[in-house]
Amino acid sequence: MSGGVDSSVAAALLREAGHEVVGVFMRLGSPGDALDELMPGEACERAPVRIGKQGCCSIGDAEDARLVAARLDIPFYVVNFKREFGRIIDHFVAEYDAGRTPNPCVRCNDWLKFGRLHEYAAQVGATAVASGHYARVEPDPASGRLRLLRGVDRGKDQSYVLFGTPADRLSEMLLPVGGMPKSEVRALAERFDLPVFDKPDSQEICFVPNDDYASLVASRSTAGVRPGPIVDASGEVVGEHPGHQHFTIGQRRRVGVAFGRPIYVVSKDPASNTITIGDREDLLAPGCVASQTNWFVEPPEDWRRCDVRIRYNAEPVPAEIRVEGEGEDRRLHARFDERQAAVAPGQAIVCYDDDVVLGGGWIDSASNET
């Protein structure tokens, strides 16, 4: 229970259906509460991280979750995952240092909500972990095998951020609001008389106050954030940037140079601390390669038609995919029907067959495979 309307309604629906429900709030940090205090040996090297007031895990959110639990008359516990959450923040900073663009919300689901929290649930004898994600877990009509599907509300669909969930965890997941639109969820919150029925949705990354991720990276970077050259496609220096970590592939605003036409960040080289700019055409790629894959179906060794999403807020696009290698060495190769802009290393590519999530991986690079 994050203190938001979605997880609150999920708890209310389960309670109404007769389940024995225990509310759990993950304590990740709060304003004025330094994560580094729980990370021995790192406090002298890294600046404290303070969770923003508008995130999904602030002190106010904890109080909202507690009020909802009281209204539903269910037990409520706070679990201290600060140390584990530090791993997500470290990964976030390391990815930017490496010239990649991370998605910490996916990692939080993989490592905490459907990782560490599942372990906690087993310790207290719970049979499943429920959340307010807009996605669905349903059996395949033919085989009976559980599948992960997109949420009914396409504008709120969160199946992308759940792609890394281990397939054997689907039987332990409950997603009560995934089969309804957000408007219905808010109406239910009001019917259940929940105090959060009109609470705004959280938009920011919870550990990046004011959406200023560059300051966070600068305060904790082991590689250092320093000025470097901006070059054009020919390699000519056309300006200076404050640090490659300030930029992501496809970025157009605040690039720092003016050419009289739209200019985009088309590549980053962390080794030389160089940003390369170009036109939108320079951003287009026919495919990509991804690693650290996770699958809910047998990974396709031959080219398979499907739709893919290469960013959380992107629409799925037609493509072909295939997988090479075994185990941890598996590589997902994707060929888009039409070239896609801003294929950013560090983002996830998630593959769909209509509403069904097939699997996905973490983008290593764009490719010229056609």
Side-chain angles (χ1 to χ4, degrees):
M1 298 181 69
S2 66
V5 64
D6 301 322
S7 59
S8 298
V9 169
L13 289 171
L14 293 171
R15 181 80 166 80
E16 186 177 61
H19 292 278
E20 182 181 356
V21 180
V22 175
V24 177
F25 182 86
M26 297 191 304
R27 186 184 180 204
L28 309 178
S30 59
D33 192 1
L35 283 172
D36 290 316
E37 293 174 3
L38 295 183
M39 299 179 189
E42 295 186 350
C44 61
E45 300 292 339
R46 305 185 180 192
V49 172
R50 305 181 193 279
I51 304 302
K53 295 181 180 179
Q54 301 303 316
C56 59
C57 43
S58 69
I59 290 176
D61 293 319
E63 183 58 25
D64 286 342
R66 191 184 304 277
L67 289 172
V68 169
R71 183 67 53 86
L72 297 176
D73 193 25
I74 62 175
F76 180 74
Y77 299 99
V78 176
V79 293
N80 190 338
F81 285 173
K82 285 185 178 183
R83 189 184 301 274
E84 292 88 343
F85 194 60
R87 177 189 177 196
I88 293 172
I89 298 173
D90 288 345
H91 178 268
F92 180 84
V93 174
E95 287 284 272
Y96 269 111
D97 279 347
R100 296 160 64 90
T101 304
N103 188 318
C105 296
V106 179
R107 292 300 191 186
C108 185
N109 287 316
D110 294 353
W111 293 346
L112 293 188
K113 292 177 183 175
F114 296 104
R116 182 69 182 86
L117 191 57
H118 270 263
E119 297 171 6
Y120 175 81
Q123 292 172 2
V124 299
T127 57
V129 171
S131 73
H133 285 96
Y134 285 84
R136 294 171 287 159
V137 174
E138 297 178 0
D140 185 324
S143 67
R145 180 177 179 176
L146 289 177
R147 307 175 300 173
L148 178 66
L149 291 86
R150 298 176 69 183
V152 168
D153 189 332
R154 294 300 180 87
K156 289 292 184 179
D157 171 44
Q158 293 174 299
S159 59
Y160 178 92
V161 299
L162 297 179
F163 94 89
T165 306
D168 60 5
R169 285 273 164 88
L170 294 183
S171 62
E172 303 170 0
M173 289 175 62
L174 294 175
L175 305 174
V177 305
M180 60 186 69
K182 180 77 177 195
S183 57
E184 184 177 346
V185 172
R186 287 207 178 273
L188 283 170
E190 193 165 11
R191 176 170 75 80
F192 286 124
D193 194 26
L194 302 181
V196 296
F197 76 92
D198 61 349
K199 184 176 180 178
D201 292 339
S202 174
Q203 300 294 331
E204 298 179 347
I205 298 173
C206 65
F207 59 86
V208 184
N210 303 317
D211 211 24
D212 185 10
Y213 77 88
S215 293
L216 169 69
V217 173
S219 70
R220 295 175 64 89
S221 171
T222 57
V225 178
R226 61 190 188 282
I230 301 174
V231 302
D232 62 17
S234 68
E236 180 181 353
V237 176
V238 295
E240 184 179 79
H241 63 75
H244 71 84
Q245 296 95 331
H246 286 259
F247 301 88
T248 187
I249 303 301
Q251 182 171 329
R252 175 181 170 184
R253 297 180 179 179
R254 300 186 297 276
V255 174
V257 294
F259 276 34
R261 66 181 192 276
I263 291 295
Y264 302 84
V265 175
V266 298
S267 67
K268 301 166 56 178
D269 182 359
S272 62
N273 194 28
T274 299
I275 297 295
T276 301
I277 60 172
D279 299 317
R280 190 176 189 281
E281 181 70 17
D282 299 319
L283 283 173
L284 300 178
C288 69
V289 179
S291 60
Q292 302 178 62
T293 63
N294 185 64
W295 297 96
F296 301 104
V297 300
E298 192 65 27
E301 296 181 359
D302 297 321
W303 289 107
R304 171 175 177 164
R305 297 289 306 170
C306 68
D307 294 328
V308 300
R309 291 170 74 178
I310 58 172
R311 291 179 300 280
Y312 175 72
N313 59 356
E315 285 296 316
V317 297
E320 290 183 316
I321 62 167
R322 66 182 174 90
V323 174
E324 291 183 347
E326 296 291 337
E328 295 183 358
D329 294 327
R330 281 177 177 156
R331 293 291 183 272
L332 166 62
H333 296 258
R335 301 190 302 203
F336 312 130
D337 284 15
E338 296 182 4
R339 293 191 300 167
Q340 296 299 304
V343 178
Q347 291 287 290
I349 175 173
V350 180
C351 309
Y352 296 85
D353 182 356
D354 195 13
D355 276 355
V356 179
V357 180
L358 304 175
W362 294 94
I363 297 173
D364 288 327
S365 64
S367 75
N368 294 317
E369 192 168 15
T370 58

